[in-house]
Amino acid sequence: MDRQKAAAGFALLADPNRLEILRLLSQGEKNATELLKGLPVSQPTLSHHMRLLCQGGLVTQRRQGQRVLYTLCRAALRELLSAPLEEQPPPSPAAPAEPVIIIRSGHRTR
């Protein structure tokens, strides 16, 4: 996993409500009503968090009739948590900066 993807994944984990959602889902598949019982958030806020977690690949969803069931993606979470321990190639060196030329009252300086 590259550094950018790992950083984005850890940003998802930086929210206490999303951590609690993952903890609740670690107990098994749940729908929004079941998740709301264990969270101090509104339904629209839960939907926002679920969308982010699904986009980040940490949660999957499936429809069952009119309900949406959410499941923790344990493999993705394991991969994310092990990412800082993976050997990464060093970041590419930055290109040298171009010199800045400033012209003041007819004199050129660097």
Side-chain angles (χ1 to χ4, degrees):
M1 176 179 294
D2 68 28
R3 288 186 174 121
Q4 293 291 8
K5 188 173 179 182
F10 280 105
L12 286 173
L13 299 180
D15 183 277
N17 290 314
R18 287 194 286 269
L19 281 177
E20 182 61 12
I21 290 167
L22 295 178
R23 188 191 70 75
L24 291 168
L25 290 176
S26 73
Q27 300 166 2
E29 187 175 65
K30 298 197 180 327
N31 64 33
T33 302
E34 293 167 324
L35 289 170
L36 281 170
K37 290 178 186 174
L39 295 167
V41 299
S42 66
Q43 190 278 326
T45 300
L46 175 64
S47 292
H48 170 73
H49 288 306
M50 297 314 295
R51 181 176 48 80
L52 293 175
L53 289 169
C54 288
Q55 287 174 347
L58 297 177
V59 172
T60 59
Q61 65 180 22
R62 69 178 180 90
R63 281 212 168 269
Q64 186 178 50
Q66 292 186 346
R67 297 184 320 165
V68 176
L69 298 172
Y70 298 99
T71 306
L72 175 63
C73 185
R74 293 176 189 278
L77 184 57
R78 234 185 327 272
E79 181 184 1
L80 173 62
L81 295 177
S82 67
L85 305 175
E86 295 173 3
E87 190 167 327
Q88 300 274 331
S92 58
E98 295 279 330
V100 176
I101 299 173
I102 302 171
I103 299 175
R104 291 189 188 148
S105 56
H107 294 62
R108 291 179 72 190
T109 59
R110 284 190 175 219

